[in-house]
Amino acid sequence: MASTTFSGPVTSTNGFVGDLTGNVTGNVTGNIAGTGRVTHATTAAINATATATAAEVATGYITSTSAAATAITLPTGTLLGAALGAAKGTIFNLYIDNTGGASTVTIVVAVNGILSTAAADTPGSFGDLTVASGVTGLARFTLMFSSATAYVFTRTA
């Protein structure tokens, strides 16, 4: 396969094959093979109990450095779906980083968001919505959209 360099936007009706390097902006669908490394260009900080905005969640990475227990309520499925450009089948990973915090962070699922069957059946793992503080205070949650306005929520790491 030949290599081609482009300096502007690139569109394909049949998808892309090969390695992807550099920066990607906009919506990406399909599979991306490579290092498996994900870098978040922007993050959001939520250091007190609050409802996260759709824009904060859309960064994909939320930090908390609170000394007090903190509850972060996710935005409604409608707001989050709009911010992500979600449709049925959209999958989104949300990372919570509480390594700088001194107390737990609890994630609260909002309207049009439900816990997955795995989360309901195994609350101690897939349904664990608390993130410890300190060196083990990292968690990944996966949101799977069943429509543009509703998602299923599961802890995946």
Side-chain angles (χ1 to χ4, degrees), residues 97-108:
D97 181 343
N98 192 27
T99 57
S103 192
T104 59
V105 170
T106 301
I107 304 301
V108 180

Side-chain angles (χ1 to χ4, degrees), residues 5 7 9 22 27 29 31-32 36 47 53 58 60 77 82 84 120 128 134 140 154:
T5 302
S7 61
N27 297 323
T29 58
N31 297 316
I32 299 176
N47 296 314
T53 67
L84 295 173
D128 185 1
R140 179 182 66 209
T154 306

Side-chain angles (χ1 to χ4, degrees), residues 36 56-57 59 77 86 93 103 105 112 114 121 124 127-128 130 153 155:
E56 289 171 327
V57 174
T59 68
N93 286 319
S103 192
V105 170
N112 296 345
I114 62 168
D121 291 348
D128 185 1
T130 60
F153 191 76
R155 183 173 184 151

Side-chain angles (χ1 to χ4, degrees), residues 54-73:
E56 289 171 327
V57 174
T59 68
Y61 200 97
I62 294 175
T63 63
S64 182
T65 58
S66 178
T70 300
I72 300 173
T73 301

Side-chain angles (χ1 to χ4, degrees), residues 32-59:
I32 299 176
T35 64
R37 181 181 63 225
V38 176
T39 303
H40 296 273
T42 59
T43 63
I46 300 177
N47 296 314
T49 294
T51 296
T53 67
E56 289 171 327
V57 174
T59 68

Side-chain angles (χ1 to χ4, degrees), residues 139-150:
R140 179 182 66 209
F141 297 94
T142 299
L143 291 78
M144 299 171 287
F145 283 81
S146 57
S147 72
T149 61

